[in-house]
Amino acid sequence: LSTLFTTLSPSTGPEDPMECTIQVNGLTDDGLSVSVIPADKEMTYVGMVGEAEVYSWYTSDAEFLADDIAMWSEMAGAEGMSLSELLSEYGLFLKGDQTYIFPESFEPGVLYMAYTYGLSETGEITAGMQKVFFTLDENGQAHEADGPAGM
């Protein structure tokens, strides 16, 4: 990797979820709009959306985050970038109140998860994962939903 970074192992990472409000605003002409309002306006954090089914493959938030960090770190290394540089380039490394757009394709009726976690510029997890599960209707409106069974 171009820049060394460290991540906390799942057993020693922060247990408490990031203090924030996640609001899934629904689909726009440009993609899915999600707003994050963190309690700590100075903390850097990551905001993402994915299919909830993927989350259900993991036994804990810490295990999910360790894999998430590893995946992004691998991508950063392949691009010759640091983790924070790559996440910034993708618009996923955030600070303060943010509304961001995910241009990917989202399907009605699929269970999704919007999530955040605190991450320092050196790649250290500073706050655990906060998440909200949702579905989209045929009109692109978001509706909060229960997480995958057993979660």
Side-chain angles (χ1 to χ4, degrees):
L1 298 177
S2 63
T3 303
L4 293 176
F5 62 93
T6 60
T7 57
L8 298 174
S9 68
S11 61
T12 61
E15 298 282 325
D16 293 332
M18 181 179 158
E19 289 185 45
C20 67
T21 299
I22 301 172
Q23 176 66 46
V24 181
N25 304 312
L27 290 176
T28 70
D29 291 340
D30 298 321
L32 180 71
S33 171
V34 178
S35 298
V36 176
I37 303 165
D40 180 349
K41 307 296 186 200
E42 297 303 311
M43 178 174 66
T44 52
Y45 62 94
V46 173
M48 295 192 209
V49 172
E51 287 192 29
E53 180 183 357
V54 173
Y55 175 72
S56 71
W57 301 340
Y58 296 88
T59 59
S60 68
D61 287 357
E63 183 184 22
F64 178 86
L65 285 185
D67 204 44
D68 201 53
I69 295 282
M71 177 196 69
W72 287 104
S73 297
E74 210 171 281
M75 287 176 62
E79 296 290 328
M81 305 170 93
S82 72
L83 178 61
S84 62
E85 287 171 334
L86 180 80
L87 292 172
S88 293
E89 185 169 298
Y90 281 99
L92 302 171
F93 196 55
L94 309 168
K95 187 176 181 180
D97 296 358
Q98 295 286 332
T99 296
Y100 48 102
I101 302 292
F102 292 94
E104 295 87 357
S105 177
F106 293 91
E107 300 294 324
V110 174
L111 183 62
Y112 294 102
M113 176 180 75
Y115 63 99
T116 63
Y117 56 90
L119 189 72
S120 73
E121 291 190 14
T122 59
E124 181 179 334
I125 297 172
T126 58
M129 188 164 81
Q130 182 67 266
K131 58 194 171 293
V132 62
F133 296 98
F134 67 96
T135 59
L136 296 168
D137 64 24
E138 297 291 334
N139 298 318
Q141 296 297 309
H143 303 279
E144 197 164 330
D146 293 331
M151 297 307 295

